[in-house]
């Protein structure tokens, strides 16, 4: 959704059951305009809200003069303060696919998963469990 048409667009998608409070709508309208001026974006698109257990993430994308290559993704926990999302790398995507469970919505939360490593030959193979923690870098 383009930030300029945000109020009308939010009304159209409210039939899905996930809606923003009037406070969140007002904060988004103001903060996206400030975000556009601060980063000198040509346009700002509001992608939506990711529901978490402890908090929700609001996702936006700023588009610069070159619409194909000049894009930055941002997130907010309160619809006011925006932070840049780090670009996804192949290694981070591979690690994140191993996580099972619900999204917590806390940037400092450490997601844990167990990695099983086999060592030795087929006759003497041993399995070793390795606990791996992943967290969002800010």
């Amino acid at each position: 959704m383009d930030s300029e048409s945000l109020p009308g667009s939010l009304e159209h998608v409210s039939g899905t059951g996930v809606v923003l409070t009037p406070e969140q709508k007002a904060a988004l309208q103001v903060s996206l305009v400030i975000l556009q001026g601060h980063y000198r974006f040509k346009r700002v698109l509001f992608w939506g809200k990711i529901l978490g257990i402890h908090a929700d993430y609001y996702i936006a994308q700023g588009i610069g003069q070159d619409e194909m290559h000049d894009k930055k993704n941002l997130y907010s926990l309160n619809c006011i303060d925006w932070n840049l999302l780090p670009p996804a790398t192949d290694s981070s995507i591979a690690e994140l696919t191993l996580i099972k469970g619900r999204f917590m919505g806390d940037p400092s939360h450490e997601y844990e998963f167990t990695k099983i490593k086999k060592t030795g030959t087929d006759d003497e193979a041993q399995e070793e469990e390795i606990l791996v923690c992943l967290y969002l870098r800010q």
Side-chain angles (χ1 to χ4, degrees):
M1 279 172 234
D2 200 325
S3 62
E4 293 177 6
S5 62
L6 187 65
S9 299
L10 287 174
E11 292 301 319
H12 291 300
V13 298
S14 64
T16 62
V18 178
V19 295
L20 300 177
T21 66
E23 294 84 9
Q24 290 169 334
K25 288 179 190 177
L28 266 178
Q29 281 183 280
V30 173
S31 72
L32 291 178
V33 171
I34 293 170
L35 183 70
Q36 184 173 359
H38 179 73
Y39 284 97
R40 293 183 173 87
F41 291 136
K42 182 178 169 185
R43 290 179 18 187
V44 174
L45 303 173
F46 177 65
W47 281 12
K49 176 179 175 179
I50 300 173
L51 302 176
I53 293 176
H54 299 298
D56 301 328
Y57 275 42
Y58 302 89
I59 307 296
Q61 183 179 56
I63 300 173
Q65 295 303 319
D66 182 0
E67 292 204 16
M68 291 300 292
H69 302 290
D70 191 11
K71 297 179 183 178
K72 293 190 183 342
N73 299 314
L74 302 105
Y75 74 95
S76 174
L77 297 172
N78 59 9
C79 298
I80 297 170
D81 302 315
W82 292 90
N83 301 299
L84 287 171
L85 277 170
T89 62
D90 291 338
S91 63
S92 65
I93 292 170
E95 289 175 345
L96 294 173
T97 57
L98 300 173
I99 296 175
K100 306 289 186 232
R102 301 227 9 229
F103 179 68
M104 301 305 286
D106 178 7
S108 63
H109 181 76
E110 293 184 355
Y111 294 89
E112 296 179 353
F113 70 93
T114 304
K115 192 177 191 179
I116 299 176
K117 181 180 176 183
K118 292 184 179 183
T119 57
T121 60
D122 291 336
D123 296 338
E124 299 174 6
Q126 294 179 347
E127 290 184 354
E128 180 182 352
E129 288 187 6
I130 302 170
L131 183 64
V132 180
C133 296
L134 298 173
Y135 60 93
L136 177 69
R137 284 178 253 134
Q138 290 191 12

